[in-house]
Amino acid sequence: MNQSNTLRINTSTLTKSTETNLLEVKNLKKYYPITSGLLRKEIGQVKAVDDISFTLKDGETLGLVGESGCGKSTAGRTILRLMDPTSGSIHFQGKDITKISGGTLRKVRQDMQMVFQDPYASLNPKMMVGHLVSEPIRNYYPNRKENETRSEVMELLNRVGLSEEAYYKYPHEFSGGQRQRIGIARALALRPKLILADEPVSALDVSVQSQVLNLMQDLQQEFKLSYLFIAHNLSVVKHISDRIGVMYLGRLVEITDKKSLYREPLHPYTQALLSTIPVPDPQARFKKERIILQGDVPSPENPPLGCAFHLRCPYVKPVCEQIKPPLKEVSSGHQVACHLYG
Amino acid sequence: MHTQKKEALLEISELEAGFMINKQFYNAVDKVSFKVNPGKVICVVGESGCGKSVMSLSIMGLLPKQVGKVARGTIRFQGRNLTEITNDEYNKIRGKEIGMIFQEPMTALNPVFTIGYQLEEVLFNHLKISKKEARQRSIELLSHVGIPRPEKIVDQFPHQLSGGMRQRVMIAMAISCQPKLLIADEPTTALDVTIQAQILELLRDIQEKSGMAVMLITHDLGVVAEMADEVMVMYAGKIVEQGTADQIFNDPKHPYLQLLLEAIPRLDEEKDRLYSIKGIVPSIVNMPKTGCRFVSRCPKAMPDCSEVSPDMGDVGFEHKVRCLLYPESYPKEVTEASR
């Protein structure tokens, strides 16, 4: 890729570090204040992300799954510094990016891009596709020649499976799957290291979903990308991820590689989650032992004491109501936050 | 189908329904025929834009009057043709004989009335009961669908409930007059998986106990496998395959269905790459006039496929497919002409 070399003069200095962890998140917390009254007095907090830690290696895909409101999107956005964390630290390529701002943050952002959930809402309908995709390049390299940028963008559009004519079209002329391809091309424009994909295929039909997933896998190989893949669909996450973290009410309850997560899920929540996914096999409904959880996810405004899952857990013990279980390694690379283990 | 002796509860034949777009009428549902037998769960599965919702709205007589209409065909419910009755007559069937659950429970419930008011409204409309009885019955219905503290919830407003609870209220409303047929249009799409499992179990449970027929519309093949006795697969306004759940999943005939099953990531299988179907569903305004509607995306397409419009052909006991790969699907005129 000649063009990518011309684009990034500073990569060589950055990749020199022997860090294998592209991203290191430690004890990350993001609390939203609940305010009330004329003076907006703080009366409480929503613990959207409550003390999560994980690492993401170079070229790896980490999936974050959980039900709506479990804080997976907030975690992703906080890691990209689209929101400021309440506490904790984020290291990206060995550098602490928790507190940086202004020009330093802007520089780091080149290496971390995002693909959004709704391809209808994330593309400006008044902008030509070519301008949408080239905007990051124009923003970071204002002195690049117009025709260079254009040929670069056209190559990108080709790479994500769109024709060159797409450059002169507008988002409404494309279908959902094609729009998501445009979103991916835009995220790739600066040749980032990390792409945060927040529910990238949940708005798409099954037949189109597989096209986009395959494309993301190909691009990962070609551009040496790492993905932080956020989704609620466990089958999709399993397909694309190397490792998977399961979140429940702002906390990471289990994290491991995908094989052991699906073969021997340890946390009762993970077990329930896996057993309730409908499998496209009519025999499965008689074979499968299903754990149907009772009740709803408690509100993060007022989370229960102790383990957040204890109200719905079939194996609840007295200690679960009192003490929050920390995330512990129970076997190599398999971490779980549950009092049943150790 | 013709081997069935008992009377079908709902019988749809040659249904064409669609919309006016730029003063021209386009069929979103094209010559659809099928039967729903009493006490069965029939699933309609297809991608967005395949006409599955338009079909359910046509059955309920709820297509938007200004732009949509049932153009041709009959919808017989218990022997009565629903396309010919007046709106007042329809109102006596809707909610009483046929119940309906919609996808998004928040928009289907009125935010300014209490749960109890909305439940009682259905009961007052269809049954002769007193206010007190209606309230009592509402509370019973709520506890029947697994809502805790029903006597308290009955006085609450929709926004005070979670998504799963709202969908339970919708189900309570739909079954309040013991309908013979329940149409559920994507009832769990807006819900989380653990809640989806609860709702599907509830639906199954109610269906088994009451013996009503359920027509479940969904895009999720997993949900279909979980619930269906019979399955209809729709593509671009037409039924392309129908059969029992076993036939559909273990012996799919239509290339579209075969590929669709390959294209979904599955928990119980390990695949490096997913199969992906090239292209997209043709839009309603430029649907191919002749031939198979899947032809542009089909890897097994033959020259005939863009010329000859396939019929539904029997490929097994109650297993039908619309594809020229199977000689049964060749329309009679064509087979006779070639002789």
Side-chain angles (χ1 to χ4, degrees):
Chain A
M1 286 250 103
N2 270 334
Q3 284 185 333
S4 71
N5 288 340
T6 55
L7 240 181
R8 322 176 101 261
I9 313 106
N10 56 354
T11 26
S12 52
T13 50
L14 276 176
T15 43
K16 220 182 260 172
S17 81
T18 46
E19 279 291 336
T20 44
N21 284 338
L22 180 71
L23 181 73
E24 259 186 77
V25 177
K26 269 194 203 128
N27 305 97
L28 185 73
K29 291 180 184 169
K30 174 71 192 172
Y31 296 171
Y32 294 111
I34 308 167
T35 55
S36 152
L38 192 63
L39 297 171
R40 317 234 86 217
K41 206 177 102 193
E42 196 174 312
I43 54 160
Q45 283 169 328
V46 175
K47 297 182 175 174
V49 174
D50 196 10
D51 201 358
I52 65 170
S53 308
F54 63 85
T55 56
L56 176 66
K57 293 194 193 73
D58 238 336
E60 190 185 41
T61 303
L62 176 71
L64 275 185
V65 286
E67 297 179 273
S68 44
C70 73
K72 51 192 194 302
S73 290
T74 305
R77 281 157 197 255
T78 314
I79 289 161
L80 288 205
R81 289 293 316 278
L82 295 171
M83 285 184 297
D84 287 327
T86 308
S87 71
S89 73
I90 307 154
H91 283 79
F92 182 67
Q93 297 186 316
K95 279 194 294 186
D96 188 348
I97 61 159
T98 327
K99 294 265 151 59
I100 59 168
S101 60
T104 345
L105 180 59
R106 192 175 133 85
K107 216 170 209 168
V108 172
R109 284 251 170 87
Q110 272 189 75
D111 286 319
M112 27 165 63
Q113 294 286 318
M114 187 159 175
V115 175
F116 297 90
Q117 169 170 12
D118 188 347
Y120 294 85
S122 59
L123 300 176
N124 186 342
K126 289 187 174 175
M127 277 171 85
M128 220 158 65
V129 167
H131 287 161
L132 277 166
V133 176
S134 62
E135 201 181 18
I137 304 176
R138 287 173 216 276
N139 186 355
Y140 276 92
Y141 303 94
N143 298 327
R144 287 193 68 201
K145 288 208 186 76
E146 185 61 35
N147 54 356
E148 263 178 54
T149 311
R150 188 184 307 132
S151 61
E152 161 111 21
V153 167
M154 283 186 170
E155 198 190 316
L156 266 173
L157 289 173
N158 266 331
R159 189 56 206 85
V160 297
L162 295 168
S163 63
E164 288 184 359
E165 290 96 74
Y167 190 97
Y168 300 102
K169 289 186 178 170
Y170 287 86
H172 74 264
E173 296 173 71
F174 295 91
S175 69
Q178 288 172 315
R179 283 184 218 208
Q180 202 54 293
R181 288 171 193 265
I182 297 169
I184 291 172
R186 179 174 61 181
L188 283 175
L190 290 171
R191 317 283 155 154
K193 283 268 160 34
L194 170 70
I195 287 190
L196 169 67
D198 192 354
E199 301 268 14
V201 296
S202 61
L204 307 176
D205 271 321
V206 241
S207 71
V208 179
Q209 179 177 305
S210 60
Q211 294 172 359
V212 173
L213 287 175
N214 283 342
L215 174 69
M216 286 185 70
Q217 280 181 320
D218 293 344
L219 294 171
Q220 177 164 39
Q221 296 277 317
E222 194 177 325
F223 295 88
K224 307 259 177 303
L225 296 167
S226 303
Y227 288 134
L228 187 57
F229 193 97
I230 296 173
H232 68 279
N233 186 331
L234 270 158
S235 322
V236 168
V237 170
K238 181 204 169 206
H239 177 73
I240 198 152
S241 307
D242 301 312
R243 288 191 307 138
I244 296 169
V246 181
M247 286 187 73
Y248 186 77
L249 214 64
R251 299 178 68 91
L252 207 52
V253 296
E254 186 162 2
I255 181 166
T256 180
D257 62 279
K258 72 167 161 193
K259 279 222 175 83
S260 41
L261 187 83
Y262 286 87
R263 245 181 239 147
E264 36 160 0
L266 293 179
H267 200 281
Y269 177 63
T270 317
Q271 293 169 356
L273 207 58
L274 286 172
S275 79
T276 48
I277 296 167
V279 176
D281 173 9
Q283 292 308 314
R285 73 173 176 231
F286 308 111
K287 273 188 259 166
K288 215 165 57 168
E289 226 175 277
R290 175 159 321 137
I291 312 162
I292 294 190
L293 293 175
Q294 298 305 312
D296 290 313
V297 183
S299 143
E301 263 175 55
N302 192 8
L305 271 180
C307 174
F309 186 60
H310 84 256
L311 293 173
R312 301 171 83 193
C313 182
Y315 311 110
V316 61
K317 299 192 290 186
V319 62
C320 304
E321 291 162 28
Q322 300 301 326
I323 300 161
K324 268 187 199 171
L327 196 64
K328 267 192 244 160
E329 184 147 349
V330 285
S331 61
S332 160
H334 196 153
Q335 292 173 291
V336 62
C338 178
H339 288 305
L340 290 175
Y341 307 94
Chain B
M1 280 281 193
H2 41 260
T3 48
Q4 215 82 36
K5 287 212 175 63
K6 60 185 167 190
E7 178 108 355
L9 180 68
L10 178 75
E11 189 174 352
I12 290 179
S13 58
E14 300 285 301
L15 179 73
E16 287 179 32
F19 302 99
M20 294 297 282
I21 300 169
N22 293 334
K23 293 183 181 159
Q24 211 189 329
F25 186 76
Y26 293 97
N27 277 342
V29 171
D30 196 19
K31 297 207 179 92
V32 164
S33 309
F34 67 95
K35 283 181 189 175
V36 181
N37 291 317
K40 292 278 184 215
V41 178
I42 182 163
C43 283
V44 184
V45 61
E47 297 179 274
S48 44
C50 75
K52 53 194 196 298
S53 289
V54 174
M55 189 176 72
S56 70
L57 291 175
S58 323
I59 297 170
M60 293 295 276
L62 289 176
L63 278 179
K65 287 262 149 39
Q66 304 81 0
V67 288
K69 66 169 181 182
V70 174
R72 251 173 241 111
T74 56
I75 303 169
R76 287 193 180 277
F77 179 73
Q78 297 184 312
R80 200 161 166 214
N81 188 355
L82 297 187
T83 53
E84 286 167 352
I85 63 175
T86 63
N87 204 27
D88 283 348
E89 288 173 305
Y90 235 130
N91 280 338
K92 289 190 185 123
I93 293 174
R94 277 195 290 249
K96 185 159 194 302
E97 308 280 335
I98 308 178
M100 188 154 183
I101 309 170
F102 300 91
Q103 174 170 357
E104 183 39 81
M106 191 60 216
T107 47
L109 291 168
N110 192 329
V112 301
F113 293 110
T114 62
I115 300 297
Y117 181 92
Q118 298 185 56
L119 264 166
E120 285 159 27
E121 191 183 10
V122 184
L123 295 169
F124 282 137
N125 266 336
H126 296 294
L127 312 170
K128 283 194 184 111
I129 54 173
S130 71
K131 208 162 177 209
K132 215 172 152 194
E133 281 170 334
R135 191 179 157 85
Q136 192 51 43
R137 181 107 182 81
S138 307
I139 294 173
E140 276 166 27
L141 279 166
L142 289 178
S143 79
H144 187 55
V145 294
I147 286 182
R149 298 169 287 115
E151 53 300 318
K152 210 175 150 214
I153 300 288
V154 79
D155 291 320
Q156 289 192 332
F157 290 91
H159 75 266
Q160 292 170 291
L161 306 181
S162 66
M165 296 277 257
R166 282 181 212 139
Q167 200 57 291
R168 283 173 193 267
V169 171
M170 284 303 298
I171 294 173
M173 230 179 243
I175 62 165
S176 60
C177 300
Q178 283 139 358
K180 306 252 174 11
L181 172 67
L182 179 71
I183 299 179
D185 192 350
E186 304 266 12
T188 58
T189 309
L191 307 175
D192 280 318
V193 266
T194 58
I195 309 297
Q196 164 170 295
Q198 292 173 1
I199 297 290
L200 292 180
E201 194 192 47
L202 174 69
L203 274 176
R204 261 249 163 239
D205 194 44
I206 292 174
Q207 190 272 330
E208 272 163 18
K209 278 185 190 140
S210 68
M212 66 182 173
V214 174
M215 189 167 132
L216 181 75
I217 293 157
T218 179
H219 68 280
D220 187 337
L221 283 160
V223 172
V224 175
E226 205 104 310
M227 298 290 291
D229 296 319
E230 289 159 39
V231 184
M232 289 191 335
V233 184
M234 288 187 75
Y235 183 79
K238 283 192 179 285
I239 299 178
V240 292
E241 184 158 351
Q242 68 188 110
T244 62
D246 259 336
Q247 289 164 340
I248 292 294
F249 286 96
N250 299 327
D251 187 21
K253 296 288 188 197
H254 199 285
Y256 171 64
L257 178 60
Q258 291 169 348
L259 297 178
L260 203 58
L261 286 168
E262 287 292 307
I264 35 176
R266 294 174 61 146
L267 276 186
D268 50 353
E269 278 173 20
E270 192 63 47
K271 275 184 225 162
D272 280 343
R273 281 186 81 74
L274 297 172
Y275 190 87
S276 67
I277 308 177
K278 59 179 184 189
I280 51 163
V281 186
S283 85
I284 183 170
V285 287
N286 40 30
M287 206 59 89
K289 293 270 181 309
T290 56
C292 174
R293 294 185 168 183
F294 188 58
V295 65
S296 60
R297 306 176 74 190
C298 184
K300 294 180 183 166
M302 310 174 292
D304 260 4
C305 291
S306 31
E307 304 288 323
V308 181
S309 307
D311 276 344
M312 287 299 271
D314 289 293
V315 286
F317 181 66
E318 289 182 18
H319 191 179
K320 293 183 179 193
V321 68
R322 188 190 295 279
C323 175
L324 295 182
L325 289 174
Y326 307 93
E328 295 85 356
S329 274
Y330 269 92
K332 280 200 191 76
E333 314 87 79
V334 178
T335 346
E336 272 157 24
S338 67
R339 259 186 214 148

